[in-house]
Amino acid sequence: MRLLSVQSEVAYGHVGNSAAVFPLQRLGVEVVAVPTVLFSNHTGYGSWRGLRLAPEQVADVLLGVEERGAFADLDVVLSGYLGDAGTALVVADAVRRVKAASPGAVYACDPVMGNAAAGLFVAPAIPELLRAEVVPLADLITPNAFELGLLTGTEPTTLPELLDAADLARALGPSTVLVTSVARAEGDPETVEMLAVDAAGAWLVGTPRLPRSFGGTGDVTAALFTAHLRTSGDAAGALARTASSVFDLIELTVRAGDGELRIVDAQERYGRPRLQFAVRRVR
């Protein structure tokens, strides 16, 4: 599998491409990584150094990749944190060109915009650009529950509401929706869930809530689910494998007492997940 990943990159720690590339490589995926920002560390530290690439710079790197003939060999495009609102249009244009060069390629969009705790943390123009220009091109989207609400103009808190919102998101274009960081009003407060929805049905998986959260978890989740789904075409199976691997990664990081995901230490769990969590069909 060959995958083009367009998202943030940091020198210290693991978010964006700095979180997603190594797990993908451990699955045997050849990754072409294009940055949207080059920061010293993720912004959750409160201070950082580096630069936000201008849309024309991201476009220029993508053009160089295309000039090497790489677009015709791609199986997947994955996008995450965009940095600049104009980069959304650059990514949309690149996806069209990849699909023209490689008709079997799929596009997975992680519509990074914010979360329930922090609210919106991207430029105000990005949600509408994602909704109108980017998500309609996607075959798969991987929003958290907060981002699903932004995309669909809803505030889903129960399973029926989440299913309805996922259907609204699928009506925008994607055939598959993975909703991460689900904390349902009627659910177990000690459990964090993920919900996968496609034309064949809907599946829910829960993992124990751990005492800490880490930047980059969503990026790893989007990358692993995308790779597993592209390989198997089985949303339920991809959900089970992803939930297992990501839980083990977070648990290992918590036990290590580290502030950054232990991406390398958890490497054996990407290709050989323990599959310790049951996936439940909910539709």
Side-chain angles (χ1 to χ4, degrees):
M1 188 188 308
R2 292 181 180 270
L3 181 149
L4 171 66
S5 180
V6 186
Q7 51 186 314
S8 61
E9 188 167 327
V10 294
Y12 175 83
H14 299 287
V15 298
N17 275 333
S18 303
V21 170
F22 181 70
L24 286 169
Q25 290 171 330
R26 287 291 291 160
L27 290 179
V29 178
E30 183 70 39
V31 184
V32 179
V34 174
T36 55
V37 304
L38 288 169
F39 287 163
S40 56
N41 50 270
H42 71 72
T43 59
Y45 283 95
S47 65
W48 64 93
R49 297 182 182 275
L51 69 156
R52 188 186 308 271
L53 274 69
E56 56 268 24
Q57 292 173 313
V58 178
D60 199 42
V61 174
L62 286 166
L63 178 59
V65 172
E66 184 178 22
E67 289 172 342
R68 302 286 73 76
F71 280 14
D73 295 329
L74 289 173
D75 301 294
V76 182
V77 179
L78 170 65
S79 69
Y81 181 77
L82 299 176
D84 189 292
T87 304
L89 299 177
V90 170
V91 169
D93 182 60
V95 168
R96 293 187 188 96
R97 301 198 322 259
V98 168
K99 289 195 170 189
S102 178
V106 300
Y107 172 41
C109 172
D110 184 6
V112 178
M113 294 180 281
N115 55 54
L120 189 71
F121 53 59
V122 296
I126 285 181
E128 181 54 34
L129 281 169
L130 285 172
R131 186 184 303 113
E133 303 291 341
V134 181
V135 168
L137 297 172
D139 301 281
L140 161 67
I141 60 172
T142 60
N144 60 39
F146 173 82
E147 292 161 342
L148 178 65
L150 287 177
L151 289 174
T152 59
T154 63
E155 295 183 4
T157 59
T158 66
L159 181 56
E161 291 171 348
L162 286 159
L163 290 169
D164 287 345
D167 288 340
L168 289 173
R170 292 181 64 243
L172 294 174
S175 57
T176 305
V177 176
L178 172 69
V179 189
T180 66
S181 302
V182 171
R184 293 182 290 134
E186 75 277 25
D188 181 353
E190 297 305 313
T191 299
V192 178
E193 295 174 318
M194 290 195 290
L195 173 70
V197 182
D198 66 10
W203 299 267
L204 193 69
V205 65
T207 60
R209 184 180 296 276
L210 293 167
R212 295 183 62 188
S213 60
F214 301 90
T217 304
D219 304 318
V220 176
T221 299
L224 291 176
F225 185 83
T226 296
H228 290 316
L229 184 65
R230 184 68 175 89
T231 299
S232 68
D234 175 12
L239 181 63
R241 295 176 71 87
T242 301
S244 178
S245 296
V246 172
F247 176 82
D248 284 344
L249 167 62
I250 299 172
E251 185 183 47
L252 186 154
T253 306
V254 169
R255 285 194 279 106
D258 205 337
E260 292 283 350
L261 288 174
R262 301 295 287 263
I263 294 286
V264 176
D265 288 353
Q267 61 184 291
E268 296 303 323
R269 293 304 182 194
Y270 306 139
R272 292 191 290 272
R274 291 187 293 159
L275 299 175
Q276 69 267 47
F277 304 109
V279 172
R280 176 166 62 97
R281 190 182 188 106
V282 293
R283 188 167 70 189

